[in-house]
Amino acid sequence: RSASQPKAGTSVAGMILFEEGKILLGDPVSKYIPEFAKTTVAVPEASKEGPGYKIVPAKRPITVRDLLTHSSGISYGDGPAKDLYKAAGLQGWFLADRPEPVGAYMKKLAGLPFDAQPGEKFVYGYNSDVLGYLVEVVSGMSLADFVKKRITDPLAMADTHFFLPEEKAGRFAAVYGIGPDGKAGPVADPRENAYVKGPRTCYAGGAGLLSTAEDYARFLLMLQSGGEWGGVHILSPKSVELMTVDHLGPVYTNPGNGFGLGFWVTKELGRNGDPGSVGAFGWGGAYHTTYWVDPAEKLVAVFMT
C-alpha cells in the first residue's frame, strides 16, 4: 500500500500527454472538465453565527500546472468548508471503496469551495485525482488502462495495480496501529480491504495504486536516468527536467526545498538540513512509505512500510 506515492505516476501520465501536445500546463482544467469553469474559495470569517467562512469566486481559472504543483487550493476536505465536504461525502484521500468512477466525484468536487485562491498557496489534496480524471478525458481510456499501457507494462512493473488480482491477495500487506489497549496490532483484516474486495471502479490518481519496492524502483530509475529505462522510453529528458525543478518559489514554505510537478525538490542543502544533493526529489505516502531520487549520486531509494 503506497497511498500518495503513486501521485508521481499520475504526474508522469499527465506529462506524457503534455509531450504529445494533447494538453498544455497553462490550460484551464475546465477545457477538459467543464465543471471547473467557475470555482469558488472558502475564506475564514469570524462569526458567532453561520459556518465561520464566506464563499468568494476564484480570482482565476485552475490550470493543469496548479494540479501538478498542488497550488490549486484543493484540499482533502479539511479546510474552512469541511461541513460541505462532509455532506458531499468527499473527505480524506481513500477512494478505493467508491462505487462510481472517479470522474463522478471530481465533478462533485468542482462545485465545492476550495481552501485557497489558485496559485497562492500549497494545499495538499485531491489535485492528482482531478489530474487522473483529466488524463481519462483526454486519452479516452480509464486511468488504470492508460497507466498500464504507457508506464507499468513497458517498465515491467508486473506487481503494480489499482486493485489487487485475487491470486495475489495473500501478498497484500497488513496495516498495523496502536489499539485501544495501547498495544500494536493489525488495524483490519487485509483480505476484506477495498483494494481486494471493493467495487473496482474508482481509479484514484492521488492514492490508488498498490506496488512493490522492486516495481517502484524501476519507475524511479526511469526518472533518474531522464525518462528511459532498460531501453524503454517513457518521457523525454527535458520533461523530467521540467518536473524536477522548483515551480512554486515562496509559495512552498518547506525551508531549502521547492516543489516541482509532483515532487519536493532540494534547492539548498544548508537550509533543509538533510544529507543529499541539490536537485534530489521525492515524496511519500500515508502508510509511511517514502522515496527519493538523487540524480547527482545516481541513487534511488524506496522505503515500503
Side-chain angles (χ1 to χ4, degrees), residues 243-255:
M243 294 180 76
T244 55
V245 294
D246 180 33
H247 284 247
L248 291 185
V251 170
Y252 190 65
T253 57
N254 192 325

Side-chain angles (χ1 to χ4, degrees), residues 53-229:
Y53 59 85
K54 63 179 179 179
I55 298 175
V56 301
K59 295 176 183 177
R60 66 162 174 81
I62 291 169
T63 66
V64 173
R65 184 153 77 155
D66 292 330
L67 297 178
L68 283 158
T69 56
H70 292 275
S71 59
S72 68
I74 299 172
S75 72
Y76 278 127
D78 51 1
K82 56 189 171 196
D83 58 325
L84 296 181
Y85 282 79
K86 185 176 181 180
L90 276 172
Q91 279 187 318
W93 55 266
F94 190 81
L95 298 175
D97 58 351
R98 301 301 175 102
E100 294 183 83
V102 70
Y105 304 104
M106 296 305 100
K107 290 175 183 178
K108 185 187 291 188
L109 173 71
L112 295 170
F114 302 141
D115 289 21
Q117 290 287 347
E120 292 187 3
K121 192 175 179 182
F122 179 88
V123 180
Y124 196 58
Y126 291 114
N127 298 278
S128 299
D129 298 295
V130 179
L131 180 64
Y133 176 50
L134 190 150
V135 169
E136 292 190 339
V137 171
V138 175
S139 69
M141 305 167 67
S142 73
L143 184 62
D145 286 344
F146 187 90
V147 167
K148 180 176 170 59
K149 181 179 179 181
R150 302 300 298 272
I151 302 173
T152 57
D153 275 3
L155 292 174
M157 296 168 65
D159 284 327
T160 300
H161 311 276
F162 274 93
F163 295 97
L164 203 60
E166 287 185 22
E167 66 272 16
K168 296 184 181 182
R171 296 169 58 197
F172 189 47
V175 175
Y176 288 78
I178 305 299
D181 57 358
K183 296 181 179 179
V187 172
D189 186 343
R191 293 167 296 183
E192 300 300 319
N193 189 275
Y195 287 123
V196 178
K197 289 197 171 180
R200 297 176 180 256
T201 54
C202 187
Y203 302 118
L209 279 174
L210 307 168
S211 194
T212 63
E214 181 178 350
D215 270 17
Y216 207 76
R218 287 174 180 268
F219 175 73
L220 296 179
L221 284 163
M222 176 273 294
L223 291 171
Q224 183 248 301
S225 56
E228 194 170 332
W229 178 247

